[in-house]
Amino acid sequence: MEEGEEETCARIEREVRDCLGDPNAAQLGNDPTLLRQKSYVDELEMEVDEEEEQADEKKKLMKEKLWKLMCTYLPCDVLSLQKSIVQHVEYTLARRRYKKDKGSFYQATAVSVRDRLIERWTDTQQYLSSKDTKRVYYLSLEYLLGRNLQNAMSCLALRNRYAAALEELGYKLEELTEEERDPGLGSGGLGRLASCFLDSLATLNYAAWGYGIRYKYGMFEQRLIGRAQAEFPDFWLKEGYPWEVERPDVQYLVKMYGQLEEDGKDPVTGRPRVNWVGGEDVIAEGFDIPVPGFHTWNTNNLRLWTSKASCEFNLGSFNDGQYYAAIGEKERSEPLTSVLYPCDNNAPGKELRLRQQYFYVSATLQDILRRYKKRPEHSLLDLPRKVAIQLNETHPAIAIPEFMRLLLDEECLGWKEAWHITQNTFAYTNHTVMPEALEVWPLPLMEQLLPRHLTIIYEINHHFLGEVRARWPADQGRVARMSIIEESEPKLIKMAHLAIIGCHRVNGVAQVHTGLLCSSLFPDFYEMWPQKFVNITNGVNHRRWMLQANPAMSAVISKWLGTHDWIHDLGLLARLKDLSSNPELQRDWQEAKMYNKRKLADFIKRECGIVVNAAAMFDVHVKRIHEYKRQLMNILGVAYRYLRILSLQQEGNTEALGQMVPRVVIFAGKAAPNYFVAKDVIKLVLAVAGRVNNDARIGDLLKVVFIPNYNVSMAELIIPGTDVSQHISTAGFEASGTSNMKFCMNGSLLLGSRDGANLEIEQSIGKDNMFMFGANTKEVDQLRRTINFRKPQMDGRLRWVLEEILSGRFGATFHDLVNSLQPGNDGYMVGHDFGSYLEANEVVDSIFKNPPAWTTKCIDSCASMSRFSSDRCIREYAEKIWQVVPHQFKPPGKVANVD
């Protein structure tokens, strides 16, 4: 890029930073004379002292003093922000005045921002309590939050002020944001979707909390050693996490193991009274992370649970010399929340996973019931009118019997009342179409770990199968298919069936996915309860993935729309369609894209040691490594391109070589530690990269890059710099996908299979703006029923590549991967779709050589993505499933004099 173009892109970025800064500051209450809610202090005092009505005059004066001290919001002018940061450096972090590094100033800045979030958070919660509004509780085993500093500043409209405050202190905000480490609370799209939902819930002013686990180590840190993936602990809490607030006052006892004893009959319900005795107790302690809405006062909460021993230390055992036994309970309890998705290919691993899931579900439900029962007028029978609980996948499905246990055993309700409350409170989102991915638990494990829950599951199943038999009296096959218990050896508990039976709504996350739920995965349940199944196509938070991740392009959009209002209403992007062929808009768009590509190229050089040409096509495939996502097909296509270049050189065909589009093919993603086929795919990618990148004959015509340890922050850099993005899963296997939406919003074109949300994106942006290929879901289903999972003859180009791999051209021979593509083994249709995949790539090349045509498609695609905002998604959940309405908190007005 020429020097003038660099200045243009820098100017573009400065412009968009303005819209992330102060334009809405006044409405967000940055004036220090803005009052807080006095009712908050009233409620605080009421909780602390229930005898407040009898308080004497001295206590009343103390209360008034407390209110005066808390009555205004923290000031947000530049000088006040500087004082706040420096005070946190000196007093919160206890740094000496002559020892102040970037890490310290990041931590201090984060705590300063958190202070301003907390005062909004406490007032928002009190306001919503005063309204007695219905609340949404979102249960997810994963949350991929990404970095919080820039997001929080943008939501508060304080980015520019903090940047100015730090600059005068000798620090750049952009450098401090790099000090923040991504929280290791998720592994892929499931966690990122949950985080997008929390952001939109707050922005749209819905009363909602997220619940999850505070993993100590996250999944794992991926490194590339010896051209293979190696896993290391991801200790993301090493430097602390300034955004969380520990809640030692929020603790719940979670019981596991033990046995059941009958203790007569309940005098109210007449049911046998069951006591769950013995076993093991674990303490769940809460940690809160405020979740701000964008340019609104409303601030919601994410509560994460960490496990603690109910008895920290046995002094008697210690004094008897049994030093390890003295801390045995502590050592057994704390691993519960150590690692996301412990390997479950062995019995201890399965047990740990189930313990982990039940632990956080039990603590969450106890917390929800405690909060609901705080109001004396709340009857448990009315709970579905005030509480909506969403299960994100089957991981928290044990919540169904746990809620029943709490209502039956702790609240002493009858079965009929408890079941009515449970069914009308819970809803279930399914994210998978692969039967093998649906969670099941061995019945003996459930009996050992959660004996009370097994009896409840039996009774749920008994009542349910009674309904099935009454409707289809002669269909025992249907009864067996729909049962929660699978009669295998050992018997299995099907958690998806439990979730469907125990919830009032079940939703898929894309039109094709929901169709498969109804027709293939759960057809018997759909026939019984068609009204229960709804579709809500996934969406992503465009403020995070466009405005913050891609400020250069966002500035172009705001400039040509003449407004920043698209940040709140993505539908305004549609106005760009009429301008997509405008040469000046195209010039601005191309400059922003080149700016992002150069940033990505610099990152690749710095992190991977590979020099790439930013003028080449950046072809990106980043997501979890899995056979159905078909990274294998991509790297086989790369190998073919490499062999084709060498063949043309040998033929001396300079004309054909001159027509080839230079490509930088970028992979990133983690393979599960015990998923050896996926790890072999990474090995093949690295082997091909090693051969291609070190072959002087290839030059810049082809480069292959694998970026290790893919996370949210890395995605925010990669996605804006992408020209074409691959979403090529086997049709019928991807429930939705959300990265396809992020890439398209950022002006990338999609190379995709006929799967998941790709089909709906194609409907929105038009077939001409997307490169689709391969068999559709129906064809895949038919092919998988045949003996040979592909066309009668292997594509000659694929045969050539496989022969070269087996010959050792790329080092190892990868016999297992090659064998997986032979007739009868190719369950993911790599061989079947390979030819049409290469042909789609040729179309991509031909259009990329025409920059105006390519840019027009990019602008049109971006301008057509409003339906894939998580705002739309959340509004549909609110209407179709939760029946909640927004409540926007606004602080009281100004007063003239505040002491």
Side-chain angles (χ1 to χ4, degrees), residues 461-462 464-474 476 479:
N461 203 40
H462 172 72
F464 169 67
L465 293 183
E467 294 181 45
V468 176
R469 290 189 180 100
R471 186 164 176 180
W472 294 283
Q476 287 305 308
V479 172

Side-chain angles (χ1 to χ4, degrees), residues 717-730:
L717 176 67
I718 293 173
I719 291 173
T722 299
D723 291 307
V724 63
S725 176
Q726 300 206 27
H727 304 270
I728 57 176
S729 55
T730 309

Side-chain angles (χ1 to χ4, degrees), residues 451-482:
R452 177 60 176 136
H453 297 74
L454 182 60
T455 65
I456 293 173
I457 290 171
Y458 275 143
E459 191 158 357
I460 291 172
N461 203 40
H462 172 72
H463 287 291
F464 169 67
L465 293 183
E467 294 181 45
V468 176
R469 290 189 180 100
R471 186 164 176 180
W472 294 283
D475 196 343
Q476 287 305 308
R478 184 187 296 266
V479 172
R481 292 193 303 270
M482 299 182 75

Side-chain angles (χ1 to χ4, degrees), residues 18 30 67 239 243 293 326 418 489 515 542 548 635 766 803 857 896:
D18 289 339
N30 291 331
W67 164 241
E239 305 295 334
W243 300 100
E489 185 56 44
H542 63 276
Q548 294 178 45
I635 193 59
E803 288 172 353
K857 290 178 180 293

Side-chain angles (χ1 to χ4, degrees), residues 2 16 43 56 78 87 196 240 266 281 420 423 509 512 584 587 599 632 697 760 802 888 890:
E2 298 297 329
V16 81
E43 177 70 14
D56 56 17
V78 171
Q87 286 172 351
C196 284
D266 187 284
D281 294 333
H420 173 81
Q423 270 197 318
V509 292
V512 65
E584 294 182 8
R587 183 200 64 219
K599 287 172 62 178
L632 177 57
R697 297 170 294 178
E760 291 174 68
L802 297 182
Q888 184 172 8
K890 294 181 180 180

Side-chain angles (χ1 to χ4, degrees), residues 694-859:
N694 292 297
D695 192 333
R697 297 170 294 178
I698 301 301
D700 284 342
L701 271 181
L702 183 62
K703 295 288 184 183
V704 184
V705 178
F706 190 101
I707 303 176
N709 210 40
Y710 183 59
N711 57 25
V712 175
S713 298
M714 203 177 293
E716 291 176 350
L717 176 67
I718 293 173
I719 291 173
T722 299
D723 291 307
V724 63
S725 176
Q726 300 206 27
H727 304 270
I728 57 176
S729 55
T730 309
F733 282 77
E734 186 76 82
S736 168
T738 52
S739 63
N740 46 8
M741 303 169 189
K742 298 166 192 170
F743 280 100
C744 209
M745 285 180 179
N746 278 273
S748 303
L749 297 186
L750 304 186
L751 172 60
S753 56
R754 295 176 171 87
D755 194 28
N758 283 355
L759 294 168
E760 291 174 68
I761 292 175
E762 183 187 50
Q763 293 170 8
S764 293
I765 69 177
K767 292 183 178 181
D768 292 340
N769 293 322
M770 196 165 173
F771 309 102
M772 299 283 270
F773 72 94
N776 60 31
T777 301
K778 192 178 208 179
E779 291 167 341
V780 168
D781 185 56
Q782 292 172 346
L783 286 164
R784 285 173 63 85
R785 296 174 190 273
T786 64
I787 297 176
N788 298 321
F789 298 125
R790 66 149 75 93
K791 296 174 182 176
Q793 292 186 348
M794 181 183 289
D795 186 281
R797 293 164 292 189
L798 177 59
R799 185 185 302 109
W800 181 24
V801 172
L802 297 182
E803 288 172 353
E804 290 293 322
I805 290 174
L806 289 173
S807 73
R809 163 85 74 164
F810 301 100
T813 54
F814 298 96
H815 281 284
D816 290 342
L817 287 180
V818 172
N819 186 57
S820 72
L821 301 177
Q822 301 307 312
N825 299 336
D826 188 15
Y828 296 100
M829 305 296 135
V830 172
H832 181 276
D833 286 349
F834 190 73
S836 60
Y837 172 70
L838 293 183
E839 289 155 13
N841 269 282
E842 291 174 4
V843 177
V844 172
D845 284 350
S846 66
I847 297 177
F848 190 78
K849 287 186 287 189
N850 184 345
W854 181 273
T855 305
T856 297
K857 290 178 180 293
C858 293
I859 297 172

Side-chain angles (χ1 to χ4, degrees), residues 515-574:
L516 288 170
L517 294 186
C518 300
S519 64
S520 301
L521 211 56
F522 308 119
D524 295 316
F525 289 96
Y526 177 68
E527 187 175 356
M528 186 171 186
W529 294 313
Q531 75 284 355
K532 213 178 234 197
F533 290 79
V534 296
N535 176 67
I536 301 181
T537 299
N538 280 340
V540 299
N541 178 9
H542 63 276
R543 288 169 290 274
R544 180 66 172 253
W545 291 103
M546 294 176 70
L547 185 67
Q548 294 178 45
N550 197 345
M553 190 192 75
S554 297
V556 173
I557 291 172
S558 295
K559 171 185 174 181
W560 283 87
L561 291 180
T563 178
H564 296 314
D565 290 348
W566 64 272
I567 299 169
H568 300 278
D569 180 7
L570 202 60
L572 295 178
L573 292 183

